[in-house]
Amino acid sequence: MPDDEYVLDTPVIRAFIDDARDAIAAGESPADACARIRPIFADLLGDSEWLPGEYQEPAAESGMGGGIGQWLLYRAVDGSLSLFSLVVPPGAETPIHDHLAWGLVGLYRGTQDEEIYVAGEQTLELRERRALAPGDFYVLIPPRDDIHRVRTTSAETSVSIHLLTNDTGCIWRHAYDPASGEAQPFRSGYVNVPCDDDAG
Ligand SMILES: [Fe+2]
């Protein structure tokens, strides 16, 4: 059996993932599991020491476009959990996209505006706009809050941390046209690791 992939293999990440897995196993629902994860996620966002600078760098070539770096830190061998940083340069924004998995997303550095959309038939409606500062985080449980776009509003690059219950960078999900609401197949990839079927 291959092991889980700790791209960033440190005691902090090992302990965080162990605790997150315990919370997921004990949770009676995604909402309950997320409630159990909240305190350790808040601690992770509040600790400025654990994330090396290389995972806080933009990436010129990236699936997200705009120089946005999506850096894998950890993923489960069965694709059931991933932890990654998303690095968005000043003024850059992601495509409108979904995640297709529940989990938690929070801001580590810089500031962001987040726009949350609701998809209808051939329509996309802006439901909410919120401003995020370091330490702010939210629980994402599809379909609620699953479709969004983030834009960096700070003069410095923003870094957000994502814990989601899939291999988010490697699954096929959706990007949405803001004008028509049309969904297109979308796979962001990771800057630093391939997806399985990239090999060979
Ligand atoms: Fe996202």
Side-chain angles (χ1 to χ4, degrees):
M1 267 295 281
D3 291 330
D4 284 0
E5 194 173 349
Y6 285 87
V7 179
L8 178 57
D9 194 354
T10 65
V12 170
I13 295 296
R14 292 249 172 197
F16 175 77
I17 294 297
D18 284 351
D19 290 348
R21 286 206 160 287
D22 287 348
I24 291 167
E28 290 170 5
S29 64
D32 183 39
C34 289
R36 292 167 187 263
I37 294 169
R38 288 181 76 99
I40 59 167
F41 199 69
D43 285 348
L44 195 69
L45 292 176
D47 175 354
S48 62
E49 300 294 318
W50 63 272
L51 186 64
E54 64 189 283
Y55 302 110
Q56 303 186 42
E57 289 292 324
E61 303 285 324
S62 86
M64 277 282 183
I68 295 167
Q70 185 170 348
W71 300 91
L72 183 68
L73 305 174
Y74 160 86
R75 66 180 162 189
V77 67
D78 64 357
S80 64
L81 189 65
S82 63
L83 180 71
F84 59 90
S85 64
L86 188 77
V87 181
V88 183
E93 63 183 22
T94 65
I96 300 172
H97 63 271
D98 61 11
H99 309 82
L100 306 180
W102 58 267
L104 296 92
V105 181
L107 202 59
Y108 190 63
R109 201 182 99 187
T111 57
Q112 291 180 349
D113 272 351
E114 184 198 17
E115 293 172 343
I116 297 127
Y117 293 85
V118 178
E121 293 201 9
Q122 298 298 312
T123 63
L124 201 58
E125 274 180 47
L126 178 63
R127 199 192 68 209
E128 192 184 337
R129 182 178 281 133
R130 50 195 178 198
L132 299 172
D136 290 346
F137 67 94
Y138 53 91
V139 165
L140 190 163
I141 301 177
R144 190 180 164 83
D145 293 352
D146 195 33
I147 302 173
H148 75 168
R149 164 161 68 188
V150 298
R151 176 187 299 121
T152 293
T153 52
S154 49
E156 67 166 332
T157 293
S158 72
V159 179
S160 55
I161 303 298
H162 302 237
L163 178 74
L164 291 168
T165 50
N166 63 4
D167 185 2
T168 314
C170 288
I171 62 151
W172 281 97
R173 44 193 172 129
H174 306 94
Y176 296 82
D177 184 289
S180 69
E182 193 182 337
Q184 295 285 346
F186 172 64
R187 187 167 75 162
S188 58
Y190 299 104
V191 181
N192 54 334
V193 298
C195 295
D196 260 357
D197 47 335
D198 289 345

